[in-house]
Amino acid sequence: MKAEKLGLRRRVALELARQLTGSLRREHPLRQLFWESTLRCNIHCRHCGSDCRQAAAVPDMPREDFFRVLDGIAARRNAGDVFVIIGGGEPLVREDIVDCARGIAERGFPWGMVTNGLYLTPELFARLREAGLCSITVSLDGLEEQHTWLRRHPDCFRMASQAIDMIVEDGALVYDVMTCVHQHNIDTLPQLRDYLVGKGVTDWRLATIFPVGRGAQDKDLQLTPDQLKGLFDFIRQTRREGQIHASYGCEGFLGAYEGDVRDWMFRCTAGVTVASVLVDGSISACTSIRHNYRQGNIYRDDFMDVWEHRFQPHRDHGWMKTGDCKDCSFWRYCEGGSLHLRDDEGRLLLCHLKGLEIRD
């Protein structure tokens, strides 16, 4: 496998991105707030990295408790500048999901949702739109065989496909289709791309499966080095062809692929512009980051005080410069990678540069 080097133009772009990252860390403007509204889910995905296994032990957060957080934010920030994303689990299992959405919108916050689409009927979709839905992500992890294998529900492909059709037909929503790439579907990505293009989908986000939760139990969910490079080559070529806007997710520094497979140079914005309220009230960064990186709890702390004063581990990555990162020549641009790729003790679980054989 041919290794790639960083060129001068890419280094200049990375230096500019590094300066912007430093500025964002100093200012840490809250721009996205994830709400883990439930741990319940209507499917049992092979790759789930969240804590949905605890669903029986942790009840849904009462919407009034989350509303109090929003009221506290609105007292100190312009609500319109903070985008709320309702997630889970699967948020559509909440019987009061429309009331949740309406309460967020009534407080002046724009909001969106991440869903598997299984419960997104035309009737519910219309009610959510009336309640202010302005952004949505739907998961589709392949054509029917591949998607059903990963999601493990007989209706998951049909309903996700129907949801995508409704969203595309709407015409006013900001949206993307999210695909988790693994060994069982990587060879069918060209066919999936053509399927999405045929539906009129404009934005497609692809990501690899990180080794956490169920995602760590099946080696077939992790790509080989050759497959990882093949994925980035596919995304780069798809972007050049221009039929659909393909982009890789926020996972990790990609060396010579930076600037080619997504619209921005790598930075981890967890705890910098992104926060979350977890189902038990924990205050964290993005919901992919679990356990030991929680900074407080809404039931004993003021959210905005926590945001202003307790996210230093997210805004200064010096503590990550250990192990493989200690002497890495790309530390200047990577700074330890994405926080969700760290375990509870801070150890790096996955390094893209190793798989890509990028050299300085």
Side-chain angles (χ1 to χ4, degrees), residues 221-290:
L221 297 178
Q222 311 300 319
L223 297 182
T224 67
D226 283 340
Q227 289 172 331
L228 186 63
K229 186 177 186 298
L231 169 62
F232 295 139
D233 288 339
F234 170 79
I235 294 174
R236 182 162 57 187
Q237 183 61 34
T238 297
R239 288 167 66 90
R240 288 172 177 169
E241 292 171 357
Q243 289 185 294
I244 189 171
H245 186 71
S247 181
Y248 187 62
C250 61
E251 296 188 75
F253 176 69
L254 307 179
Y257 285 99
E258 288 292 332
D260 287 350
V261 297
R262 51 192 172 204
D263 298 339
W264 41 275
M265 294 293 182
F266 172 73
R267 70 174 61 90
C268 182
T269 57
V272 179
T273 63
V274 178
S276 67
V277 174
L278 304 185
V279 71
D280 64 354
S282 294
I283 300 169
S284 187
C286 78
T287 52
S288 293
I289 302 173
R290 312 307 304 181

Side-chain angles (χ1 to χ4, degrees), residues 44-243:
H44 188 72
C45 300
R46 294 177 186 273
H47 67 302
C48 182
S50 75
D51 289 338
C52 296
R53 63 186 181 278
Q54 299 177 359
V58 182
D60 296 354
M61 176 179 285
R63 62 181 185 272
E64 293 82 5
D65 295 354
F66 184 65
F67 292 165
R68 282 194 288 272
V69 174
L70 296 183
D71 291 339
I73 295 173
R76 299 169 65 175
R77 295 287 189 275
N78 179 4
D81 293 337
V82 181
F83 196 92
V84 176
I85 302 171
I86 307 176
E90 168 53 49
L92 296 185
V93 303
R94 287 190 65 127
E95 293 78 6
D96 65 345
I97 188 63
V98 175
D99 293 325
C100 293
R102 188 177 295 114
I104 295 170
E106 288 173 350
R107 286 165 170 79
F109 291 85
W111 69 275
M113 173 179 293
V114 179
T115 177
N116 59 42
L118 186 62
Y119 285 177
L120 193 61
T121 63
E123 295 76 18
L124 180 55
F125 180 67
R127 294 177 66 201
L128 291 170
R129 285 294 278 134
E130 290 173 0
L133 174 68
C134 56
S135 173
I136 191 167
T137 294
V138 176
S139 296
L140 191 71
D141 301 303
L143 299 177
E144 185 165 8
E145 179 182 349
Q146 294 79 29
H147 184 72
T148 304
W149 178 85
L150 189 67
R151 298 284 169 172
R152 298 198 286 199
H153 190 288
D155 295 325
C156 60
F157 178 82
R158 176 177 62 85
M159 293 303 294
S161 182
Q162 175 180 291
I164 292 168
D165 288 339
M166 289 189 294
I167 292 163
V168 171
E169 184 178 0
D170 179 276
L173 278 172
V174 175
Y175 74 92
D176 61 6
V177 173
M178 175 73 177
T179 297
C180 292
V181 183
H182 50 85
Q183 292 193 33
H184 286 261
N185 69 355
I186 188 167
D187 292 336
T188 64
L189 291 181
Q191 290 80 16
L192 178 58
R193 176 195 57 204
D194 295 344
Y195 179 76
L196 294 176
V197 169
K199 281 181 166 292
V201 172
T202 56
D203 290 84
W204 184 25
R205 181 157 43 108
L206 301 96
T208 44
I209 297 171
F210 51 97
V212 173
R214 295 183 207 132
Q217 299 171 8
D218 187 343
K219 65 179 182 179
D220 287 346
L221 297 178
Q222 311 300 319
L223 297 182
T224 67
D226 283 340
Q227 289 172 331
L228 186 63
K229 186 177 186 298
L231 169 62
F232 295 139
D233 288 339
F234 170 79
I235 294 174
R236 182 162 57 187
Q237 183 61 34
T238 297
R239 288 167 66 90
R240 288 172 177 169
E241 292 171 357
Q243 289 185 294

Side-chain angles (χ1 to χ4, degrees), residues 1-7 10-11 14 225-226 228-230 232-233 236 251-262 324 327-331 333-334 351-360:
M1 179 171 60
K2 182 181 178 181
E4 297 188 43
K5 298 177 67 174
L6 297 184
R10 204 179 311 271
R11 286 186 181 276
L14 287 168
D226 283 340
L228 186 63
K229 186 177 186 298
F232 295 139
D233 288 339
R236 182 162 57 187
E251 296 188 75
F253 176 69
L254 307 179
Y257 285 99
E258 288 292 332
D260 287 350
V261 297
R262 51 192 172 204
D324 291 338
D327 299 314
C328 180
S329 59
F330 292 102
W331 171 265
Y333 307 126
C334 179
C351 175
H352 289 74
L353 295 181
K354 281 188 172 183
L356 292 169
E357 294 186 357
I358 302 296
R359 64 177 184 268
D360 197 4

